Amino acid sequence: MTTTCTPSPDAAVAQTPTRRSRFEPAWLLPTAAAGALAAAVGLPWLVNAYLISLAATALVMAVLAMSTQLLAGLAGLAPLGQAAYLTVGAYTAASVATLTGLGPVQLLAAAAAGAVAAAVTGLLAVRARGTTFLMVTFGLGELVHAAANQWAPGGSEGVHAPPVVALPGLPAMVRPGWVHLYVLACTLLIGVAVAVAVRSRFALLLRGIAAHEPRVQATGHHTGGLLLTAYVLAGGIAGAAGALLIAVTRYVSPADAAMGVSALALAAALIGSGSMTGACAAAVVLVAARDWAGGLLGGHGPTLLGLAFLLLAYLPRRRLAGLTNRFPRRRT
């Protein structure tokens, strides 16, 4: 018997980046990455203090976008409450700051607190799928927002924290340039850890769950446990972002758990179309549109964000994938 195999449309789309890569030199992506890193490192000597602080804030949002992308890009679950774990991490870092000013200690404590909070709330969240998961995570985020207003130190006014110390023996980082370099170093370390995670067998299983969960269950894997693990990891990354937020602003309030923060991270993840690099770049662009370009336009940053979200909603998904997957990257 003769079988005729017809390529599926999905296969054709998946092969498109490979065909495009023939016309792009292999050195282009490493060179662009090196140039971006050099620009980020040299930024404190090139721009004023406001732009330096804005860049550091964008890096914090990039870490939160990585947390969101871990769920949306790998597991196919779009969360709308990651700002809750950022806020838990930020309050934890502010509390630890009263005992020690060491930034790495605050970072680890905040990541642990975010992971624990995600482990508790994730028992409810990972039971849902699709739009229900989106609404459950939104509800959890709003509950954390309300709880922070009611019971967090400082109430709705928030709390202030002292400057962070990067390493033992060094002075506290008061200048925005040093804070930016510290946040950049932490972001790169978190990015390396996430890059290792997305190339693991665990990430393969998450992609399988996103594609066809019953098939993964049929192989003997407990998909609920895998999704809960991913949710906890994402919560830990978001908690670490909270510690970096404390380093930048030296302040945390319940407003940091607002839905708008989670929505921006989710938009960055969706624009990234499954790429951690794309999600981080989108987060930087969205923060720049909200705070820098919005300031130039008389405080219309939210308007720019609204237009960006509308563009995201109506731009065909395949075009987004074409924009963010222009350069080839390894798939596992």
Side-chain angles (χ1 to χ4, degrees), residues 11-330:
V13 172
Q15 292 172 1
T16 301
T18 304
R19 291 198 298 269
R20 287 182 179 176
S21 65
R22 297 176 184 174
F23 303 99
E24 295 165 352
W27 51 264
L28 188 57
L29 182 58
T31 302
L37 179 59
V41 172
L43 197 64
W45 291 273
L46 300 174
V47 298
N48 58 35
Y50 168 72
L51 291 179
I52 295 171
S53 298
L54 183 62
T57 302
L59 290 173
V60 174
M61 188 56 63
V63 175
L64 187 63
M66 281 192 275
S67 166
T68 305
Q69 185 67 277
L70 185 65
L71 294 172
L74 294 183
L77 297 175
L80 195 54
Q82 291 304 101
Y85 309 114
L86 176 144
T87 305
V88 169
Y91 273 107
T92 301
S95 299
V96 173
T98 61
L99 304 175
T100 176
L102 282 176
V105 175
Q106 297 177 19
L107 186 70
L108 292 175
V116 170
V120 175
T121 56
L123 293 172
L124 174 63
V126 298
R127 295 177 180 273
R129 300 290 184 272
T131 305
T132 305
F133 179 84
L134 185 78
M135 297 308 298
V136 168
T137 53
F138 166 72
L140 291 172
E142 289 302 296
L143 287 175
V144 171
H145 187 192
N149 270 304
Q150 188 70 27
W151 294 301
S156 60
E157 298 297 324
V159 294
H160 293 269
V164 172
V165 178
L167 294 172
L170 294 180
M173 294 181 294
V174 178
R175 295 179 178 273
W178 291 114
V179 174
H180 167 76
L181 292 176
Y182 167 75
V183 173
L184 176 62
C186 293
T187 301
L188 290 175
L189 289 175
I190 295 171
V192 170
V194 171
V196 172
V198 299
R199 285 165 172 78
S200 65
R201 183 173 179 270
F202 173 68
L204 277 176
L205 291 171
L206 291 181
R207 295 183 195 277
I209 293 173
H212 196 270
E213 185 174 355
R215 181 174 296 180
V216 178
Q217 291 174 334
T219 61
H221 292 94
H222 187 266
T223 56
L226 291 170
L227 291 176
L228 180 59
T229 302
Y231 198 85
V232 171
L233 288 175
I237 297 171
L244 298 181
L245 179 66
I246 284 292
V248 175
T249 63
R250 303 180 206 166
Y251 174 76
V252 58
S253 73
D256 294 313
M259 190 270 287
V261 180
S262 297
L264 193 148
L266 179 57
L270 294 176
I271 293 172
S273 294
S275 165
M276 286 291 176
T277 304
C280 292
V284 172
V285 171
L286 289 175
V287 171
R290 182 191 64 184
D291 298 341
W292 179 67
L296 295 178
L297 297 176
H300 291 290
T303 302
L304 290 177
L305 281 184
L307 292 174
F309 293 164
L310 287 174
L311 178 64
L312 173 63
Y314 284 99
L315 189 65
R317 185 70 173 174
R318 55 183 176 82
R319 292 188 182 178
L320 281 176
L323 290 172
T324 56
N325 296 337
R326 182 170 180 80
F327 299 106
R329 63 181 185 274
R330 282 179 52 189

